[in-house]
Amino acid sequence: RKEVEQDPGPFNVPEGATVAFNCTYSNSASQSFFWYRQDCRKEPKLLMSVYSSGNEDGRFTAQLNRASQYISLLIRDSKLSDSATYLCVVNIPSRGKLIFGQGTELSVKP
Amino acid sequence: GAGVSQSPSNKVTEKGKDVELRCDPISGHTALYWYRQSLGQGLEFLIYFQGNSAPDKSGLPSDRFSAERTGGSVSTLTIQRTQQEDSAVYLCASTGTGRRTGELFFGEGSRLTVL
């Protein structure tokens, strides 16, 4: 079983749609969580951290459920420019490294 | 610049040759990571440095792969006797300590093509 698993893609949605991605992690020692965005043929960049109480940044909302060991990313009113691959990342301090999920591809169509 | 710098940005080599990829992290960042990404695939962890030591090198695919970091700064990933399956983008990332640990700053990658 992979340490970090994401919804399989691709997600094809129309502009203005709301889309949600889920990510599950297997190591209960995981302490911090992030969503990264990767545009085609570009390097990943941090989109947002995920806090225990949930957090929002404009059209983006991240949630963490420690009991069920999953995190989610909700994108409201999706834009064409949101088309990218979204990577779930988990930090396990005892492992000393950041674990990336395989990513979920989002394609927003006009 | 102030970001993570990788070189070369593109490398085409013949099967069996050795290649060296370089990463210059953000100044002051203690942790440095190497990942590999094949076309259309996710990021594959290779090795992680904390300072000059590598607590986790579990992701290195074979003994043809090695990496070192000197002076707590520049890192070099070496691939000996390259094979076609080594073709990928090799990404380096660094991060500091403190509250924002986990915010990785990536370089633009080194695209390796083995003919």
Side-chain angles (χ1 to χ4, degrees):
Chain A
R1 182 187 172 188
K2 291 181 181 175
E3 291 188 274
V4 179
E5 294 200 65
Q6 296 189 235
D7 280 348
F11 282 52
N12 296 303
V13 303
E15 265 187 297
T18 295
V19 61
F21 305 137
N22 288 327
C23 168
T24 57
Y25 59 94
S26 59
N27 193 322
S28 59
S30 303
Q31 290 198 359
S32 47
F33 310 88
F34 308 86
W35 284 102
Y36 277 71
R37 170 191 169 129
Q38 185 174 25
D39 292 296
C40 187
R41 300 176 77 85
K42 296 284 190 180
E43 73 275 19
K45 292 185 179 177
L46 180 68
L47 176 66
M48 59 196 301
S49 303
V50 185
Y51 301 121
S52 297
S53 54
N55 48 298
E56 191 173 301
D57 182 1
R59 298 181 293 109
F60 298 82
T61 301
Q63 297 277 357
L64 167 64
N65 185 318
R66 285 190 185 273
S68 301
Q69 296 187 187
Y70 79 81
I71 68 174
S72 64
L73 178 68
L74 182 78
I75 306 175
R76 291 182 300 279
D77 187 25
S78 52
K79 311 291 184 190
L80 296 177
S81 57
D82 294 335
S83 297
T85 296
Y86 291 83
L87 301 160
C88 170
V89 183
V90 172
N91 185 21
I92 308 172
S94 61
R95 296 279 300 279
K97 69 182 186 187
L98 293 153
I99 313 292
F100 279 76
Q102 291 300 103
T104 300
E105 183 183 346
L106 171 66
S107 179
V108 181
K109 307 290 188 184
Chain B
V4 177
S5 177
Q6 289 189 248
S7 62
S9 55
N10 273 288
K11 176 73 176 179
V12 179
T13 190
E14 293 179 348
K15 178 180 171 181
K17 300 282 189 183
D18 297 352
V19 297
E20 217 170 70
L21 307 177
R22 177 190 166 105
C23 173
D24 201 342
I26 292 173
S27 178
H29 277 190
T30 55
L32 184 148
Y33 297 76
W34 284 98
Y35 290 90
R36 176 168 76 170
Q37 188 171 36
S38 302
L39 190 62
Q41 302 297 310
L43 272 72
E44 177 188 1
F45 169 80
L46 297 179
I47 188 170
Y48 151 69
F49 286 93
Q50 183 63 43
N52 291 335
S53 63
D56 190 340
K57 52 180 79 171
S58 62
L60 294 177
S62 74
D63 58 8
R64 296 187 294 105
F65 287 72
S66 62
E68 64 174 14
R69 188 179 185 195
T70 55
S73 180
V74 172
S75 177
T76 303
L77 177 68
T78 301
I79 309 172
Q80 295 178 308
R81 306 181 302 282
T82 52
Q83 304 294 312
Q84 287 183 331
E85 61 263 28
D86 299 336
S87 296
V89 176
Y90 289 80
L91 289 161
C92 174
S94 69
T95 186
T97 56
R99 192 171 67 84
R100 294 291 281 178
T101 298
E103 181 173 4
L104 283 177
F105 295 85
F106 282 86
E108 294 187 347
S110 291
R111 184 175 300 277
L112 174 65
T113 303
V114 182
L115 301 176

